[in-house]
Amino acid sequence: MSSYSTPQQYIAGRWREGRGAASLHVTNPANGEVLATYAAAHPQDIDEALSAAQDGFSRWSALTALDRSACLRKAAALLRERAPLLGLQLTLEQGKPLAESGREIEQAAQMLEWFAEEGRRCYGHTIPSRWPTTRFHTLRQPIGPVAAFTPWNFPVMLSASKLGAALAAGCSVVLKPAEETPLAVSGLVRCLVEAGVPANAVQLLLGVPAEVSSALIASPTIRKVSFTGSQAVGRQIAALAGQHLKPVTLELGGHAPVIVCADADPLAAVQTLVQIKLRNAGQICANPSRFFVHRSRYEAFVAAFASVARATRMGDGRDAATTMGPLASERRVRAVRALVDDARAQGARLVCGGEPGPGLGFFYAPTVLAEVPAHARIMQEEPFGPLVPVAPFDTLDEAIGLANSLPVGLAAFGFTQDLHSARRIGEEVRAGAVALNTVALMQPETPFGGVLDSGIGRENGLQGIEPYLTTRTIATA
Ligand SMILES: NC(=O)C1=CN([C@@H]2O[C@H](COP(=O)(O)OP(=O)(O)OC[C@H]3O[C@@H](n4cnc5c(N)ncnc54)[C@H](O)[C@@H]3O)[C@@H](O)[C@H]2O)C=CC1
Ligand SMILES: O=Cc1ccc(S(=O)(=O)O)cc1
């Protein structure tokens, strides 16, 4: 497969093989074929990356914000130029259809551009003094070298968000992407380096996750940790960060409730929801995943979703006819299958789907389940797949209670024409972001992050650069 090359580490300004004993494999989820095998980073590779990151921090933070901004803008332009190849590599390693890969590369470019501009606005303050002869002001300064860990679902966009924010603030970054999807992220790092980001300001470590994260977080060089992924791993990262007193940003997904009120048009709601529900085969942290529909609209909603689900064309993401690719790995197929089986065993009605897709790939059909009891695992655990579990409700109080019944809160969705209901859903459902009559939730300009067990801190928006800055107070006589 000539479009897919063997992923390499980028350490101290050189692309090279890792020296670790472990071999890691990249598998094409559309057919199960191994695309590449590469050597993991060795502890010595990690040490070299850390020394380089310290040096890179000195060089990069010494540039003006304007120079850093220019590099990020150029990297965004390079990313767009290379989108056809990077998009293909992303589809090969991750499975999403080519159109979605192209969209992700564009989102990554937009992230870099947003932070290129925000980096120019890291203002300090002049503070009124209590003493006539003393002046106070504050300086915003980069916090130091950053360890960033990104997942396999949106490897390029989520890496661009962390790299963009940290680099714009003047920090150097050691990035560890998911071992399953390393190549398109490497392409992003190449764009940054070729755009003029000094070699040591960015390191790319591909390795055994726990080995890399424990070494990086324990190192005195690293001053900030950022992770996107599962709650289980997030807890481990947070525990390590706490042990070493490092500030941490965590984006840990959720289990986004959808409330479809009696006054909503159920068909219009389905048409809107489907724009996000089946994207990336449902593997989106903000994916709508628990559907509560007013009893008067319930059957129409279930039937409409089932009809859209049945019309989905599953297939290889390179095929133009494909509307939904495979899940990213075999373990994800096992996980969603177990949730569907459990829901059925608990009395849910299988309306459509509930079976694997074609061929040897990691496909699972879009699946609509009705009358799903609240205690079924699928209503408790983030499904991260093309599953649509639906349950009826009678009052808005009941729906909001169901939405708030879990200890997570990343995203939530509401469909209603009633201003009062919209206000209640917007203000009472516990979530970092609520979308009303839309599914557009994330863009570079909007803060993104969770409440409760969905994470700590915000990425993107005006808030996105904050975690990478520290404030120095200067008193002058
Ligand atoms: N918030 C988000 O965007 C994401 C959320 N998830 C959630 O995680 C669930 C499980 O995902 P899986 O990939 O099946 O399993 P998992 O939780 O084992 O995640 C594996 C990913 O986490 C990284 N990882 C694992 N251990 C790590 C460590 N000690 N240090 C640093 N990185 C580490 C790996 O690189 C790998 O890419 C999904 O069902 C979903 O709920 C997964 C990916 C992204
Ligand atoms: O992983 C978080 C995430 C990724 C993508 C999107 S969007 O569908 O492109 O808006 C939202 C959240």
Side-chain angles (χ1 to χ4, degrees), residues 103 107 151 153-154 157-158 228 251 276 279 283-287 384 410 439-443 448:
R103 177 189 157 126
Q107 284 175 310
N153 58 339
F154 285 83
M157 193 257 281
L158 296 175
T228 297
E251 197 276 86
I276 188 170
R279 190 185 306 155
Q283 302 162 114
I284 302 181
C285 50
N287 203 241
F384 229 60
L410 184 66
V439 289
L441 263 181
M442 194 205 220
Q443 55 173 24
F448 191 74

Side-chain angles (χ1 to χ4, degrees), residues 149-154 158 176-181 207-214 217 227-233 236-237 240 251-254 283-286 329 331-332 335 381-385 410 454:
F149 304 94
T150 50
W152 44 260
N153 58 339
F154 285 83
L158 296 175
K176 191 209 78 69
E179 60 279 20
E180 300 92 338
T181 52
V208 177
E211 283 177 19
V212 178
S213 59
S214 56
I217 297 170
F227 170 82
T228 297
S230 69
Q231 266 181 39
V233 176
Q236 294 170 31
I237 299 276
L240 273 170
E251 197 276 86
L252 306 179
Q283 302 162 114
I284 302 181
C285 50
S329 63
R331 71 173 181 276
R332 296 305 320 143
E381 299 170 29
E382 184 179 33
F384 229 60
L410 184 66
S454 285

Side-chain angles (χ1 to χ4, degrees), residues 264-335:
D265 174 348
L267 305 190
V270 167
Q271 287 308 326
T272 304
L273 282 163
V274 81
Q275 294 164 27
I276 188 170
K277 179 63 235 183
L278 300 182
R279 190 185 306 155
N280 204 20
Q283 302 162 114
I284 302 181
C285 50
N287 203 241
S289 49
R290 293 181 289 149
F291 297 78
F292 303 117
V293 183
H294 191 269
R295 204 173 291 281
S296 63
R297 302 297 192 191
Y298 182 75
E299 286 305 338
F301 182 91
V302 169
F305 228 126
S307 131
V308 171
R310 287 193 194 99
T312 303
R313 288 284 299 270
M314 271 187 290
D316 189 314
R318 288 171 293 177
D319 181 344
T322 294
T323 56
M324 191 185 92
L327 297 182
S329 63
E330 203 163 15
R331 71 173 181 276
R332 296 305 320 143
V333 179
R334 284 195 299 273

